[in-house]
Amino acid sequence: MKLSHLLSFATSTVAATISTRSNPYDSSETPNFGYEELYKLQTDFYNRFQYPNNIKEAESINSTVFSEDVQGRVSDTRNFVGRELNTEYIFGLFTPSDSLTIIGRPVGPYEIIQFAANQNIASATTRINFIFPSFGNISLPITVDTWMTWNAARQVTQYDVTFRWFGYLLKTLLLSVDKDPVKAQAIATTSIAKSICSTHTKYCNGTNTQYESPEECYGFLTKEIRVGESFELGMDTLLCRNVHEIMVKFRPDVHCSHIGKTGGGQCDDTISYQEKVEEQYFTNSPWKPTKY
Ligand SMILES: *[C@@H]1O[C@H](CO)[C@@H](O)[C@H](O)[C@H]1NC(C)=O
Ligand SMILES: *[C@@H]1O[C@H](CO)[C@@H](O)[C@H](O)[C@H]1NC(C)=O
Ligand SMILES: *[C@@H]1O[C@H](CO)[C@@H](O)[C@H](O)[C@H]1NC(C)=O
């Protein structure tokens, strides 16, 4: 880092501290970090996101990367509110699992290739290398577009994430199973449904039971719902339940319903395209700078 950068970093840190001293943990106050500090916060986030660092964050249950009231939105899935759920969804989801899954492992390296930041807001495009253990350990880069805001305690209060070319990624994964897309889809459907049902058998007992038997589970997943397109990971699909399957082991009482018939408010067809687009979701911090 150049000296001038160091100085502006120091100044912005002091400014952030002073402007929020009255109540440093009040996320309703918008801190003014400046570009260098925001770049550092963005980098810190991705360092923790990388495997195996993400294991430590997941084990903390309530990662202090996030504010308690963090609001997250991920393209093609749903919205995720609160620290515990986001610790599971952002860190736990990408740790090694016994499930057969479309979710990969961010082994790195990663590179932030586009970055603009102002006040407490950063927009980044980041290319991250993943391996996909359920697809013969195929290694593929993923480009992720993020908008994030931080509070004065340097915790993420909001994130809005888009996986670029996600449909193309899914297709590439699928074709790694078999060159024939019809065959590939049949193999993947069978394997994913079996995996979800075995997770259900292992973790979803008692009041968390969703299916009466593995056969009922398999029949439902393979015949009564669709596999799902790339934008349907928050809809009434097999792929949606495959994403949530990984989180079942963290809190069966919260996540079992997501792999069940109703989808537990995460995997259903209740949100129209129009609602998705016009939704007013974020309330923790403005997405446009108020000071320059
Ligand atoms: C995580 O935070 C939630 C919400 O504040 C709380 O109910 C839960 O007990 C916390 N879990 C742990 C292990 O600290
Ligand atoms: C994938 O890599 C892991 C080690 O990271 C290894 O244990 C596993 O057998 C590999 N799977 C395949 C299908 O190559
Ligand atoms: C499920 O089984 C585990 C261990 O067998 C038990 O600790 C847990 O209480 C059961 N859950 C329910 C909801 O019955």
Side-chain angles (χ1 to χ4, degrees), residues 205-208:
N205 56 339
T207 51
N208 298 325

Side-chain angles (χ1 to χ4, degrees), residues 20-35:
T20 56
R21 186 167 286 162
S22 55
N23 186 357
Y25 298 101
D26 183 355
S27 61
S28 65
E29 285 190 42
T30 306
N32 195 3
F33 291 119
Y35 186 92

Side-chain angles (χ1 to χ4, degrees), residues 61-63 66-72 79-89 157 159 251 281 284:
I61 309 226
N62 285 308
S63 168
F66 300 115
S67 68
E68 238 178 281
D69 57 358
V70 60
Q71 300 173 306
N79 299 340
F80 300 90
V81 180
R83 191 183 261 163
E84 191 166 357
L85 191 61
N86 277 289
T87 302
E88 290 165 350
Y89 195 73
T157 52
Y159 67 83
R251 283 187 294 166
Y281 169 52
N284 286 339

Side-chain angles (χ1 to χ4, degrees), residues 1-243:
M1 207 186 272
K2 281 200 237 127
L3 184 60
S4 61
H5 285 178
L6 264 180
L7 281 177
S8 79
F9 167 55
T11 320
S12 66
T13 308
V14 170
T17 312
I18 290 168
S19 70
T20 56
R21 186 167 286 162
S22 55
N23 186 357
Y25 298 101
D26 183 355
S27 61
S28 65
E29 285 190 42
T30 306
N32 195 3
F33 291 119
Y35 186 92
E36 291 279 335
E37 176 69 355
L38 286 165
Y39 193 80
K40 191 170 156 280
L41 288 168
Q42 188 70 73
T43 304
D44 182 59
F45 175 83
Y46 276 117
N47 287 342
R48 289 170 195 257
F49 179 72
Q50 298 293 287
Y51 173 81
N53 301 345
N54 58 359
I55 292 177
K56 191 167 154 240
E57 294 304 321
E59 283 172 350
S60 77
I61 309 226
N62 285 308
S63 168
T64 51
V65 164
F66 300 115
S67 68
E68 238 178 281
D69 57 358
V70 60
Q71 300 173 306
R73 178 166 72 183
V74 182
S75 70
D76 308 321
T77 67
R78 289 267 175 131
N79 299 340
F80 300 90
V81 180
R83 191 183 261 163
E84 191 166 357
L85 191 61
N86 277 289
T87 302
E88 290 165 350
Y89 195 73
I90 297 297
F91 296 115
L93 183 61
F94 301 97
T95 59
S97 120
D98 296 334
S99 307
L100 190 134
T101 175
I102 54 165
I103 303 294
R105 199 178 302 165
V107 291
Y110 73 89
E111 187 187 357
I112 296 175
I113 46 186
Q114 294 166 329
F115 189 77
N118 194 332
Q119 203 164 312
N120 71 328
I121 309 165
S123 174
T125 299
T126 308
R127 189 165 48 221
I128 309 161
N129 280 313
F130 277 73
I131 59 159
F132 293 84
S134 300
F135 291 82
N137 286 334
I138 186 175
S139 167
L140 291 168
I142 299 186
T143 294
V144 184
D145 291 324
T146 55
W147 283 84
M148 289 191 177
T149 58
W150 284 265
N151 65 15
R154 293 173 167 70
Q155 296 166 335
V156 174
T157 52
Q158 300 170 158
Y159 67 83
D160 200 4
V161 178
T162 308
F163 285 81
R164 276 218 211 151
W165 308 301
F166 186 65
Y168 203 176
L169 169 67
L170 267 188
K171 186 169 182 179
T172 302
L173 279 178
L174 202 61
L175 291 179
S176 77
V177 173
D178 196 295
K179 285 193 303 291
D180 173 356
V182 176
K183 255 195 224 162
Q185 172 131 338
I187 295 167
T189 303
T190 306
S191 316
I192 289 172
K194 279 186 184 155
S195 176
I196 295 172
C197 295
S198 95
T199 295
H200 178 268
T201 302
K202 194 165 171 191
Y203 297 103
C204 304
N205 56 339
T207 51
N208 298 325
T209 305
Q210 310 294 317
Y211 303 103
E212 274 167 26
S213 64
E215 293 71 33
E216 193 204 9
C217 174
Y218 185 78
F220 176 81
L221 295 177
T222 53
K223 295 193 183 73
E224 296 188 30
I225 55 171
R226 55 199 189 278
V227 173
E229 296 189 53
S230 63
F231 61 90
E232 294 188 308
L233 301 192
M235 296 175 78
D236 191 12
T237 63
L238 181 70
L239 289 182
C240 182
R241 288 168 178 82
N242 187 226
V243 171

